[in-house]
Amino acid sequence: MAEAEVSETVKAASLRLYELVSDLPRMGEWSPENTGGKWLGGATGPAAGVKFRGTNRHGLAIWMTSVTITAADPGSRFAFDVDFLGAPISTWEYTFADAADGCLVTERWTDRRPRLMRVTSIATGVRDRAAHNRRNMQETLGKLKAAAES
């Protein structure tokens, strides 16, 4: 399975960073690919087992995903599994660790796509998903840092 991980030290409290990352409609402010999410089933915030609809874009391609939160530990960890048309796609995880000069935020992506889906880039136009996500994660954490430190 392919993986990517990026970390950034941010001069902000871990709880504040967790609140920013888990505020789904705002995710589009930091991510170059995800444009936000919408809570489903009457949910109004993050909790393990809660579902949301994610919306993404890359170039002209736009797609929605079904997402289930697997961890929602304020100030510590926010994680979720992504599915598309019933197939597993990925796991995303954000962890927050206190550091001497703020908080170390780590964003981690794990590819869960079935083999056939990994060899094609037709849907999103991305050939090397791990490298693509690593670049996007660096941008995401950079924008998150700028928002949290302003």
Side-chain angles (χ1 to χ4, degrees), residues 43-146:
T44 58
V50 165
K51 297 185 183 301
F52 66 90
R53 173 92 48 229
T55 306
N56 304 279
R57 62 161 164 49
H58 177 74
L60 296 176
I62 298 173
W63 65 99
M64 289 192 272
T65 57
S66 300
V67 186
T68 304
I69 296 176
T70 58
D73 306 314
S76 177
R77 184 171 174 246
F78 181 62
F80 49 88
D81 287 339
V82 178
D83 296 324
F84 181 73
L85 298 176
I89 299 297
S90 60
T91 295
W92 289 87
E93 177 184 38
Y94 295 85
T95 57
F96 310 91
D98 291 333
D101 51 348
C103 177
L104 180 66
V105 181
T106 300
E107 182 178 11
R108 185 174 298 110
W109 165 83
T110 304
D111 193 353
R112 297 173 46 236
R113 293 175 297 171
R115 184 180 174 125
L116 180 60
M117 289 180 78
R118 282 182 265 153
V119 298
T120 181
S121 61
I122 295 170
T124 64
V126 176
R127 290 183 184 206
D128 184 343
R129 179 49 73 176
H132 174 83
N133 282 355
R134 191 172 291 106
R135 285 188 303 273
N136 283 353
M137 291 157 66
Q138 289 168 333
E139 184 175 337
T140 297
L141 292 188
K143 288 180 177 179
L144 181 69
K145 177 177 180 153

